[in-house]
Amino acid sequence: NKINVLTKRTIKDKILEYLRICSKNKTNTKFNIPFNREELADYLCINRSALSRELSLLKDEGLIEYKKNEFTLLE
């Protein structure tokens, strides 16, 4: 799974792919990820501030909702 995530070109694509993989393992539309922001940034091999910026943009675009480690994919 990590290879599928890291082969994506943009930060946005990496985040969305990771969240899609996490949501497939859950039956509920809301799911928790096992990482905090710093750990998730390390996992995705990106800067933490860039991760936070992209998460905010994805939320503004209406693609995701999140609160701390709880995410919902809206697409």
Side-chain angles (χ1 to χ4, degrees), residues 40-55:
L40 181 57
D42 289 342
Y43 181 84
L44 298 175
C45 298
I46 57 178
N47 186 293
R48 188 208 46 82
S49 60
L51 170 67
S52 295
R53 182 179 60 247
E54 282 297 323
L55 287 173

PDB file of all heavy atoms in Angstrom, residues 40-55:
ATOM      1  N   LEU A  40       2.062  11.223   9.986  1.00  0.00           N
ATOM      2  CA  LEU A  40       1.486  11.077   8.650  1.00  0.00           C
ATOM      3  C   LEU A  40       2.378  11.736   7.604  1.00  0.00           C
ATOM      4  O   LEU A  40       2.609  11.179   6.531  1.00  0.00           O
ATOM      5  CB  LEU A  40       0.074  11.669   8.596  1.00  0.00           C
ATOM      6  CG  LEU A  40      -0.653  11.565   7.253  1.00  0.00           C
ATOM      7  CD1 LEU A  40      -0.763  10.116   6.793  1.00  0.00           C
ATOM      8  CD2 LEU A  40      -2.026  12.219   7.342  1.00  0.00           C
ATOM      9  N   ALA A  41       2.912  12.902   7.912  1.00  0.00           N
ATOM     10  CA  ALA A  41       3.824  13.584   6.996  1.00  0.00           C
ATOM     11  C   ALA A  41       5.068  12.723   6.748  1.00  0.00           C
ATOM     12  O   ALA A  41       5.514  12.592   5.601  1.00  0.00           O
ATOM     13  CB  ALA A  41       4.210  14.951   7.552  1.00  0.00           C
ATOM     14  N   ASP A  42       5.605  12.127   7.794  1.00  0.00           N
ATOM     15  CA  ASP A  42       6.762  11.241   7.634  1.00  0.00           C
ATOM     16  C   ASP A  42       6.407  10.030   6.777  1.00  0.00           C
ATOM     17  O   ASP A  42       7.183   9.625   5.908  1.00  0.00           O
ATOM     18  CB  ASP A  42       7.287  10.778   8.991  1.00  0.00           C
ATOM     19  CG  ASP A  42       7.974  11.882   9.770  1.00  0.00           C
ATOM     20  OD1 ASP A  42       8.343  12.904   9.154  1.00  0.00           O
ATOM     21  OD2 ASP A  42       8.125  11.727  10.991  1.00  0.00           O
ATOM     22  N   TYR A  43       5.241   9.441   7.004  1.00  0.00           N
ATOM     23  CA  TYR A  43       4.795   8.280   6.239  1.00  0.00           C
ATOM     24  C   TYR A  43       4.658   8.612   4.752  1.00  0.00           C
ATOM     25  O   TYR A  43       5.020   7.815   3.895  1.00  0.00           O
ATOM     26  CB  TYR A  43       3.466   7.768   6.790  1.00  0.00           C
ATOM     27  CG  TYR A  43       2.919   6.553   6.086  1.00  0.00           C
ATOM     28  CD1 TYR A  43       3.339   5.279   6.440  1.00  0.00           C
ATOM     29  CD2 TYR A  43       1.977   6.679   5.072  1.00  0.00           C
ATOM     30  CE1 TYR A  43       2.845   4.154   5.798  1.00  0.00           C
ATOM     31  CE2 TYR A  43       1.474   5.561   4.413  1.00  0.00           C
ATOM     32  CZ  TYR A  43       1.911   4.308   4.785  1.00  0.00           C
ATOM     33  OH  TYR A  43       1.418   3.198   4.141  1.00  0.00           O
ATOM     34  N   LEU A  44       4.142   9.810   4.464  1.00  0.00           N
ATOM     35  CA  LEU A  44       3.942  10.231   3.074  1.00  0.00           C
ATOM     36  C   LEU A  44       5.181  10.879   2.461  1.00  0.00           C
ATOM     37  O   LEU A  44       5.169  11.272   1.307  1.00  0.00           O
ATOM     38  CB  LEU A  44       2.766  11.209   3.000  1.00  0.00           C
ATOM     39  CG  LEU A  44       1.402  10.667   3.427  1.00  0.00           C
ATOM     40  CD1 LEU A  44       0.364  11.777   3.421  1.00  0.00           C
ATOM     41  CD2 LEU A  44       0.975   9.520   2.545  1.00  0.00           C
ATOM     42  N   CYS A  45       6.235  11.025   3.263  1.00  0.00           N
ATOM     43  CA  CYS A  45       7.500  11.637   2.817  1.00  0.00           C
ATOM     44  C   CYS A  45       7.282  13.072   2.341  1.00  0.00           C
ATOM     45  O   CYS A  45       7.758  13.475   1.266  1.00  0.00           O
ATOM     46  CB  CYS A  45       8.154  10.804   1.728  1.00  0.00           C
ATOM     47  SG  CYS A  45       8.583   9.150   2.281  1.00  0.00           S
ATOM     48  N   ILE A  46       6.543  13.832   3.131  1.00  0.00           N
ATOM     49  CA  ILE A  46       6.313  15.242   2.817  1.00  0.00           C
ATOM     50  C   ILE A  46       6.502  16.066   4.084  1.00  0.00           C
ATOM     51  O   ILE A  46       6.575  15.534   5.187  1.00  0.00           O
ATOM     52  CB  ILE A  46       4.905  15.486   2.219  1.00  0.00           C
ATOM     53  CG1 ILE A  46       3.810  14.987   3.164  1.00  0.00           C
ATOM     54  CG2 ILE A  46       4.775  14.834   0.867  1.00  0.00           C
ATOM     55  CD1 ILE A  46       2.402  15.241   2.672  1.00  0.00           C
ATOM     56  N   ASN A  47       6.559  17.372   3.911  1.00  0.00           N
ATOM     57  CA  ASN A  47       6.712  18.304   5.026  1.00  0.00           C
ATOM     58  C   ASN A  47       5.389  18.430   5.781  1.00  0.00           C
ATOM     59  O   ASN A  47       4.327  18.446   5.159  1.00  0.00           O
ATOM     60  CB  ASN A  47       7.145  19.654   4.436  1.00  0.00           C
ATOM     61  CG  ASN A  47       7.474  20.655   5.491  1.00  0.00           C
ATOM     62  OD1 ASN A  47       6.597  21.086   6.216  1.00  0.00           O
ATOM     63  ND2 ASN A  47       8.736  21.023   5.560  1.00  0.00           N
ATOM     64  N   ARG A  48       5.434  18.534   7.101  1.00  0.00           N
ATOM     65  CA  ARG A  48       4.215  18.608   7.904  1.00  0.00           C
ATOM     66  C   ARG A  48       3.379  19.834   7.575  1.00  0.00           C
ATOM     67  O   ARG A  48       2.160  19.780   7.483  1.00  0.00           O
ATOM     68  CB  ARG A  48       4.535  18.591   9.404  1.00  0.00           C
ATOM     69  CG  ARG A  48       3.264  18.459  10.241  1.00  0.00           C
ATOM     70  CD  ARG A  48       3.391  19.088  11.618  1.00  0.00           C
ATOM     71  NE  ARG A  48       3.992  20.393  11.632  1.00  0.00           N
ATOM     72  CZ  ARG A  48       3.349  21.534  11.378  1.00  0.00           C
ATOM     73  NH1 ARG A  48       2.083  21.532  11.052  1.00  0.00           N
ATOM     74  NH2 ARG A  48       3.980  22.680  11.439  1.00  0.00           N
ATOM     75  N   SER A  49       4.023  20.968   7.350  1.00  0.00           N
ATOM     76  CA  SER A  49       3.260  22.178   7.035  1.00  0.00           C
ATOM     77  C   SER A  49       2.586  22.053   5.662  1.00  0.00           C
ATOM     78  O   SER A  49       1.466  22.529   5.478  1.00  0.00           O
ATOM     79  CB  SER A  49       4.148  23.422   7.088  1.00  0.00           C
ATOM     80  OG  SER A  49       5.198  23.323   6.157  1.00  0.00           O
ATOM     81  N   ALA A  50       3.247  21.399   4.719  1.00  0.00           N
ATOM     82  CA  ALA A  50       2.641  21.168   3.404  1.00  0.00           C
ATOM     83  C   ALA A  50       1.443  20.223   3.534  1.00  0.00           C
ATOM     84  O   ALA A  50       0.421  20.411   2.873  1.00  0.00           O
ATOM     85  CB  ALA A  50       3.662  20.591   2.436  1.00  0.00           C
ATOM     86  N   LEU A  51       1.564  19.222   4.396  1.00  0.00           N
ATOM     87  CA  LEU A  51       0.456  18.304   4.655  1.00  0.00           C
ATOM     88  C   LEU A  51      -0.739  19.056   5.223  1.00  0.00           C
ATOM     89  O   LEU A  51      -1.869  18.906   4.736  1.00  0.00           O
ATOM     90  CB  LEU A  51       0.889  17.205   5.624  1.00  0.00           C
ATOM     91  CG  LEU A  51      -0.220  16.303   6.167  1.00  0.00           C
ATOM     92  CD1 LEU A  51      -0.809  15.454   5.048  1.00  0.00           C
ATOM     93  CD2 LEU A  51       0.290  15.442   7.292  1.00  0.00           C
ATOM     94  N   SER A  52      -0.515  19.881   6.218  1.00  0.00           N
ATOM     95  CA  SER A  52      -1.604  20.642   6.833  1.00  0.00           C
ATOM     96  C   SER A  52      -2.259  21.588   5.830  1.00  0.00           C
ATOM     97  O   SER A  52      -3.486  21.717   5.805  1.00  0.00           O
ATOM     98  CB  SER A  52      -1.082  21.433   8.031  1.00  0.00           C
ATOM     99  OG  SER A  52      -0.639  20.550   9.034  1.00  0.00           O
ATOM    100  N   ARG A  53      -1.457  22.225   4.996  1.00  0.00           N
ATOM    101  CA  ARG A  53      -1.991  23.124   3.971  1.00  0.00           C
ATOM    102  C   ARG A  53      -2.879  22.356   2.989  1.00  0.00           C
ATOM    103  O   ARG A  53      -3.985  22.787   2.675  1.00  0.00           O
ATOM    104  CB  ARG A  53      -0.857  23.834   3.244  1.00  0.00           C
ATOM    105  CG  ARG A  53      -1.335  24.832   2.195  1.00  0.00           C
ATOM    106  CD  ARG A  53      -0.200  25.548   1.482  1.00  0.00           C
ATOM    107  NE  ARG A  53       0.674  24.620   0.787  1.00  0.00           N
ATOM    108  CZ  ARG A  53       1.945  24.382   1.109  1.00  0.00           C
ATOM    109  NH1 ARG A  53       2.504  25.007   2.118  1.00  0.00           N
ATOM    110  NH2 ARG A  53       2.680  23.527   0.430  1.00  0.00           N
ATOM    111  N   GLU A  54      -2.411  21.210   2.518  1.00  0.00           N
ATOM    112  CA  GLU A  54      -3.184  20.411   1.565  1.00  0.00           C
ATOM    113  C   GLU A  54      -4.454  19.864   2.187  1.00  0.00           C
ATOM    114  O   GLU A  54      -5.498  19.802   1.534  1.00  0.00           O
ATOM    115  CB  GLU A  54      -2.341  19.261   1.003  1.00  0.00           C
ATOM    116  CG  GLU A  54      -1.369  19.682  -0.052  1.00  0.00           C
ATOM    117  CD  GLU A  54      -2.029  20.255  -1.295  1.00  0.00           C
ATOM    118  OE1 GLU A  54      -3.098  19.787  -1.719  1.00  0.00           O
ATOM    119  OE2 GLU A  54      -1.442  21.189  -1.872  1.00  0.00           O
ATOM    120  N   LEU A  55      -4.392  19.457   3.452  1.00  0.00           N
ATOM    121  CA  LEU A  55      -5.603  18.984   4.130  1.00  0.00           C
ATOM    122  C   LEU A  55      -6.645  20.097   4.195  1.00  0.00           C
ATOM    123  O   LEU A  55      -7.833  19.858   3.956  1.00  0.00           O
ATOM    124  CB  LEU A  55      -5.279  18.469   5.537  1.00  0.00           C
ATOM    125  CG  LEU A  55      -4.560  17.128   5.608  1.00  0.00           C
ATOM    126  CD1 LEU A  55      -4.151  16.825   7.050  1.00  0.00           C
ATOM    127  CD2 LEU A  55      -5.416  15.999   5.050  1.00  0.00           C
TER     128      LEU A  55
END
